[in-house]
Amino acid sequence: MSTILVTGASGQLGQLVLKALENSPHTVIAASRDPSKLNTSFATCTADFDQPDTLVAAFTGVDRVLIISTDALAVPGQRLKQHTAAIDAARAAGVQHIVYTSLPNAEPGNKISFAPDHYGTEQAIKASGIAHTILRNNWYIENLMISLPHALETGQFYTSAPEGRVAYVAREDAARAAAAALSDAPGGTVTVTGPEALTYGDVVAIANELTGKPVSLIPLTDEQFGGGLKAAGLPDFVADMLTSAEAAIRAGQLDGVTDTVKTLTGQAPKTVREVLTALLKA
């Protein structure tokens, strides 16, 4: 029996991790910057990544902690600073094992704009001397719903990576993998993916079959893609981030398929078709 703490527990991934831990034999604590947002039967506490004292207090008495990467992307360096504060707090509190949600191929050379945050966090975890499991989560299938509804409405899907492939994973499967890693605390670095790597053309074809709405793939340059996002009103840092992801997809940095979900959970991950069937018909 161990005491497990989940940071970012009010977020989409965090809520699903808590759901996956509902029958855990371990003591589970849900932590959030604002615990009032937590709707859970588990014990709760405050863990604000911008206030290190709250992290030390939250982590004290905890054996294993899941550090879900924060969404602080607007200010360069803030996310890594937050993560480093959490790692320092874990060491100060005597946490025995850290599980961290990272990004595939987070090493230098990754074209995604926020990859250095993950690489820096991974290095800080390794330097901490704390046993750890690094889960390099691929793009969530659910993220496709940011662009698919508009594409189905207009009949056009814009991309600057028409031939690239992504091994999309369902957010629920990533959460189950994190819960399993917390429960059994295996060590090392693994990549968490779905069962197949698909192009945007594959995704659009699935959406077409499910909805009956034809969609054409419109290839663009990165400049056209990013410019279009900014013209649509997205903040510059978001447009640049999404454009960098397209470059990473073209470079094959998100196309590796692994069996991590099944290895950790004993259950095969869902396919893009399975998840989109539920989302598009909801």
Side-chain angles (χ1 to χ4, degrees), residues 153-170:
E153 181 181 336
T154 63
Q156 296 179 318
F157 187 102
Y158 298 97
T159 175
S160 59
E163 303 301 324
R165 293 181 177 272
V166 179
Y168 298 100
V169 64

Side-chain angles (χ1 to χ4, degrees), residues 205-223:
I206 291 170
N208 171 238
E209 290 175 28
L210 293 174
T211 65
K213 298 179 180 179
V215 178
S216 298
L217 211 63
I218 311 297
L220 303 172
T221 64
D222 280 344
E223 291 73 21

Side-chain angles (χ1 to χ4, degrees), residues 76-266:
Q78 183 182 0
R79 194 188 206 190
L80 180 55
K81 181 180 179 181
Q82 291 176 332
H83 294 172
T84 302
I87 295 162
D88 290 343
R91 185 170 58 243
V95 170
Q96 298 172 13
H97 198 107
I98 291 173
V99 179
Y100 172 66
T101 59
S102 188
L103 172 79
N105 298 301
E107 292 82 8
N110 190 308
K111 296 182 180 297
I112 297 177
S113 60
F114 55 77
D117 293 340
H118 287 300
Y119 181 69
T121 302
E122 290 187 7
Q123 295 305 109
I125 290 172
K126 292 173 182 177
S128 73
I130 302 173
H132 55 271
T133 307
I134 294 171
L135 303 173
R136 291 179 159 183
N137 292 351
N138 210 312
W139 248 223
Y140 299 132
I141 299 171
E142 290 83 354
N143 290 347
L144 289 167
M145 295 301 290
I146 296 172
S147 54
L148 264 183
H150 181 70
L152 289 167
E153 181 181 336
T154 63
Q156 296 179 318
F157 187 102
Y158 298 97
T159 175
S160 59
E163 303 301 324
R165 293 181 177 272
V166 179
Y168 298 100
V169 64
R171 188 180 278 112
E172 182 181 8
D173 287 331
R176 292 192 304 106
L182 271 174
S183 299
D184 295 334
T189 300
V190 293
T191 302
V192 181
T193 79
E196 57 193 346
L198 303 182
T199 65
Y200 284 126
D202 296 328
V203 170
V204 164
I206 291 170
N208 171 238
E209 290 175 28
L210 293 174
T211 65
K213 298 179 180 179
V215 178
S216 298
L217 211 63
I218 311 297
L220 303 172
T221 64
D222 280 344
E223 291 73 21
Q224 291 170 326
F225 182 81
L229 294 177
K230 293 174 184 177
L234 268 66
D236 285 2
F237 82 93
V238 175
D240 292 342
M241 176 190 72
L242 294 174
T243 304
S244 72
E246 295 282 290
I249 293 170
R250 280 200 312 275
Q253 294 177 336
L254 297 174
D255 64 1
V257 176
T258 72
D259 61 358
T260 297
V261 171
K262 188 170 185 179
T263 298
L264 287 176
T265 70

